[in-house]
């Protein structure tokens, strides 16, 4: 099947089969990535110690912030490409590919340079203590050195899905994960390079995967491929990319702000071990949430293409299927969190204090886990069809307008438990807000045909 046929099938093939075709590779890739993160953290916790887990937790906001800039380019560009392919405007789609490469290089370099210069003050601001700062610094120095590679790798994977190659995107991620695991065992367990070895494994594996991605896009037989004349930034294309990308950018940036605040709250009410427990609980939740992210990634080219082609029935069928699948996945995660939290926490640590704190945190963090799926899918849906303001509002309302105030107020009454309770409380409030906006858009779609 050639690339043109794969693209046209987005508007012709049955939606259920398409979603399965595009979401399954993304789910496999995202889940494999989250499983790698678990292995990474487990290796660090078992070999280096509980303080290193806490130090790694401090780097979460930094990683989120880097991802925010990468998502602004990668998600924005891939969505624009999907819409242009739906409109059969292949020339513009080609230039979008070139601009994606240039933007990733520019943004990745600037983020790396600024962050390395201000690394220690930033980590202190993120909640690092005298104990956790050395671990966080060692990890981020290596990660930031490879920041341009990371941005380009994730950006090219998003474009692979947009041009009808979800399996190739999956292969790139699976290779990265597999190589990561091998290198983490070698660097951390065998060579005893500590937390710096874990970071080096990540950058090395992403570099190798990026080489393969660029080789694919260098093939002139592809519908979209790298060639001369497409790399010069065009103001209108950059504006379109960033207009779409601003939603995931703000989502990730808000996540960064939240994690900074949460880390400081956990330090204040529970010490460094509470930050470690938060890191472990997040790792568990992310395993299942990555399945949902895979569903939304699989949904993106289908929704974007059919919106561009004005096939709105197909677009809405894809949305409903994604919500059902995502909710079922998180229901399984919720059941495990409620039934075996101690067994899950034991994967990461044998320290009795951290073990008990993590088990309780897993249960509280995932208290209303299943309802998160629909909120994530609907937010991504509005992003896919260019309704950026709605997507931004939904992203900010859950974290900035709900979680932040709750994480400040609830601990005043319930101390450390209050910090944990703030997360399911904000999830529930966001769920209640999201559905009326979807119904409003559906009525608008029926009335105006768009």
């Amino acid at each position: 099947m050639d690339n043109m046929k794969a693209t046209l099938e987005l508007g012709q093939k049955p939606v259920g089969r398409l979603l399965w075709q595009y979401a399954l590779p993304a789910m496999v890739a995202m889940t494999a990535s989250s499983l790698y993160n678990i292995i990474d953290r487990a290796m660090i916790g078992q070999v280096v110690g509980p303080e290193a887990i806490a130090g790694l937790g401090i780097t979460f906001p930094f990683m989120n912030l880097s991802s925010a800039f990468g998502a602004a380019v990668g998600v924005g560009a891939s969505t624009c490409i999907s819409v242009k392919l739906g409109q059969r405007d292949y020339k513009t789609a080609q230039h979008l590919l070139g601009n994606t490469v240039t933007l990733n290089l520019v943004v990745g370099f600037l983020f790396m340079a600024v962050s390395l210069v201000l690394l220690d003050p930033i980590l202190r601001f993120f909640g690092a203590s005298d104990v956790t700062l050395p671990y966080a610094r060692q990890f981020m120095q290596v990660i930031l050195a490879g920041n341009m590679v990371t941005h380009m790798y994730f950006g090219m994977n998003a474009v692979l899905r947009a041009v009808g190659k979800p399996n190739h995107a999956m292969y790139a991620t699976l290779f990265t994960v597999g190589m990561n695991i091998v290198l983490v065992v070698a660097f951390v367990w065998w060579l005893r390079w500590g937390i710096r070895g874990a970071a080096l494994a990540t950058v090395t594996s992403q570099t190798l995967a990026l080489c393969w991605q660029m080789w694919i896009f260098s093939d002139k037989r592809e519908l979209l491929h790298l060639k001369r004349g497409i790399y010069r930034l065009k103001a209108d294309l950059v504006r379109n990319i960033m207009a779409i990308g601003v939603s995931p950018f703000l989502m990730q940036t808000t996540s960064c702000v939240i994690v900074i605040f949460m880390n400081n709250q956990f330090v204040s009410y529970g010490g460094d071990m509470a930050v470690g427990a938060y890191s472990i609980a997040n790792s568990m939740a992310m395993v299942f949430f990555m399945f949902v992210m895979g569903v939304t990634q699989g949904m993106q080219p289908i929704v974007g293409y059919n919106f561009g082609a004005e096939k709105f029935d197909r677009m809405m069928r894809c949305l409903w299927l994604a919500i059902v699948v995502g909710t079922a996945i998180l229901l399984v995660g919720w059941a495990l969190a409620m039934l075996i939290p101690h067994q899950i926490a034991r994967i990461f640590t044998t320290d009795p204090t951290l073990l008990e704190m993590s088990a309780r945190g897993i249960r509280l963090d995932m208290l209303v886990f299943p309802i998160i799926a629909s909120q994530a899918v609907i937010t991504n849906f509005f992003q896919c069809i260019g309704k950026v303001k709605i997507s931004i509002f939904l992203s900010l309302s859950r974290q900035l307008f709900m979680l932040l105030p709750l994480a400040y107020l609830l601990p005043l009454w319930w101390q450390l438990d209050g910090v944990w309770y703030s997360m399911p409380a904000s999830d529930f409030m966001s769920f209640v807000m999201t559905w009326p906006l979807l119904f409003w858009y559906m009525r608008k779609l029926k009335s105006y045909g768009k």
Side-chain angles (χ1 to χ4, degrees):
M1 181 184 297
D2 61 24
N3 194 240
M4 177 73 77
K5 184 178 178 182
T7 301
L8 293 175
E9 280 190 345
L10 289 167
Q12 299 168 355
K13 201 171 184 178
V15 171
R17 290 172 60 190
L18 269 177
L19 185 60
W20 177 259
Q21 176 184 334
Y22 277 79
L24 183 62
M27 284 193 291
V28 170
M30 296 295 285
T31 305
S33 181
S34 65
L35 287 175
Y36 157 70
N37 288 331
I38 284 183
I39 293 171
D40 197 20
R41 285 159 178 74
M43 188 71 69
I44 290 171
Q46 300 289 350
V47 176
V48 187
E51 292 84 3
I53 282 282
L56 195 61
I58 296 298
T59 68
F60 282 168
F62 225 145
M63 303 289 279
N64 284 340
L65 190 58
S66 176
S67 296
F69 284 96
V73 178
V75 176
S78 62
T79 301
C80 289
I81 288 172
S82 292
V83 173
K84 291 302 177 184
L85 291 176
Q87 297 170 345
R88 304 194 182 187
D89 184 356
Y90 302 128
K91 182 179 179 180
T92 301
Q94 185 76 56
H95 282 277
L96 281 165
L97 172 63
N99 276 225
T100 302
V101 173
T102 305
L103 279 174
N104 273 313
L105 289 174
V106 172
V107 173
F109 175 79
L110 291 176
F111 184 87
M112 173 194 69
V114 173
S115 297
L116 283 174
V117 171
L118 302 173
L119 184 56
D120 276 18
I122 292 173
L123 290 173
R124 287 286 189 185
F125 178 69
F126 287 174
S129 66
D130 291 338
V131 174
T132 58
L133 180 63
Y135 296 106
R137 182 197 301 122
Q138 290 171 24
F139 186 81
M140 287 309 305
Q141 282 174 338
V142 178
I143 292 294
L144 288 170
N147 193 63
M148 284 189 292
V149 169
T150 300
H151 279 208
M152 189 70 72
Y153 161 71
F154 284 114
M156 291 297 101
N157 240 25
V159 175
L160 279 172
R161 287 188 294 271
V163 299
K165 292 184 175 292
N167 287 335
H168 289 72
M170 177 184 70
Y171 298 149
T173 305
L174 289 178
F175 171 82
T176 304
V177 170
M179 183 58 65
N180 250 322
I181 293 172
V182 172
L183 293 178
V184 162
V185 172
F187 294 165
V188 179
W189 182 270
W190 184 39
L191 296 176
R192 300 286 167 161
W193 287 354
I195 199 168
R196 195 186 295 274
L200 183 61
T202 298
V203 172
T204 302
S205 58
Q206 289 177 348
T207 301
L208 294 173
L210 176 61
C211 291
W212 182 67
Q213 292 170 329
M214 300 306 283
W215 177 77
I216 292 173
F217 282 111
S218 298
D219 188 345
K220 294 181 180 179
R221 295 171 297 178
E222 294 293 334
L223 179 61
L224 300 185
H225 58 274
L226 301 174
K227 62 180 182 179
R228 290 184 178 181
I230 63 173
Y231 304 106
R232 183 176 180 179
L233 295 178
K234 293 189 173 184
D236 58 333
L237 298 185
V238 173
R239 278 196 299 268
N240 288 338
I241 290 171
M242 301 313 292
I244 301 285
V246 70
S247 176
F249 172 79
L250 289 176
M251 189 185 307
Q252 294 280 1
T253 304
T254 303
S255 249
C256 173
V257 172
I258 292 299
V259 174
I260 293 169
F261 183 77
M262 296 297 281
N263 277 341
N264 281 282
Q265 287 293 84
F266 278 114
V267 167
S268 298
Y269 290 97
D272 288 335
M273 289 298 100
V275 177
Y278 180 43
S279 173
I280 290 172
N282 259 349
S283 296
M284 166 60 182
M286 287 305 293
V287 170
F288 290 92
F289 192 70
M290 283 297 179
F291 273 106
V292 178
M293 293 302 293
V295 174
T296 63
Q297 286 185 4
M299 177 184 79
Q300 183 266 321
I302 304 169
V303 168
Y305 184 98
N306 284 284
F307 179 77
E310 299 188 358
K311 296 182 178 181
F312 303 119
D313 287 344
R314 292 173 57 82
M315 177 186 76
M316 294 306 299
R317 282 202 300 275
C318 184
L319 170 66
W320 293 121
L321 280 171
I323 290 173
V324 171
V325 172
T327 302
I329 291 168
L330 295 196
L331 189 60
V332 174
W334 172 85
L336 292 175
M338 298 303 109
L339 294 173
I340 54 169
H342 285 84
Q343 290 85 338
I344 294 167
R346 200 169 282 115
I347 296 171
F348 301 88
T349 183
T350 56
D351 183 84
T353 302
L354 183 56
L355 183 63
E356 288 300 319
M357 197 175 289
S358 300
R360 180 167 178 76
I362 288 170
R363 276 183 169 164
L364 294 178
D365 185 21
M366 300 175 67
L367 199 59
V368 296
F369 203 44
I371 68 174
I372 299 175
S374 61
Q375 199 274 344
V377 171
I378 294 169
T379 299
N380 185 267
F381 167 76
F382 282 119
Q383 175 186 300
C384 290
I385 62 174
K387 305 297 180 182
V388 179
K389 292 181 180 178
I390 298 176
S391 181
I392 291 173
F393 172 75
L394 291 175
S395 301
L396 294 182
S397 64
R398 175 177 176 265
Q399 299 187 87
L400 200 60
F401 304 145
M402 296 178 186
L403 181 55
L404 197 63
L406 288 171
Y408 174 77
L409 294 172
L410 296 186
L412 300 178
W413 289 278
W414 292 298
Q415 304 300 309
L416 181 60
D417 278 355
V419 186
W420 290 111
Y421 286 138
S422 64
M423 291 182 280
S426 64
D427 289 335
F428 179 77
M429 292 168 65
S430 179
F431 169 80
V432 171
M433 179 182 295
T434 299
W435 279 93
L437 282 173
L438 177 61
F439 291 140
W440 165 81
Y441 179 73
M442 289 172 61
R443 287 195 299 270
K444 183 178 178 182
L445 196 65
K446 290 178 181 178
S447 300
Y448 300 104
K450 193 167 184 177

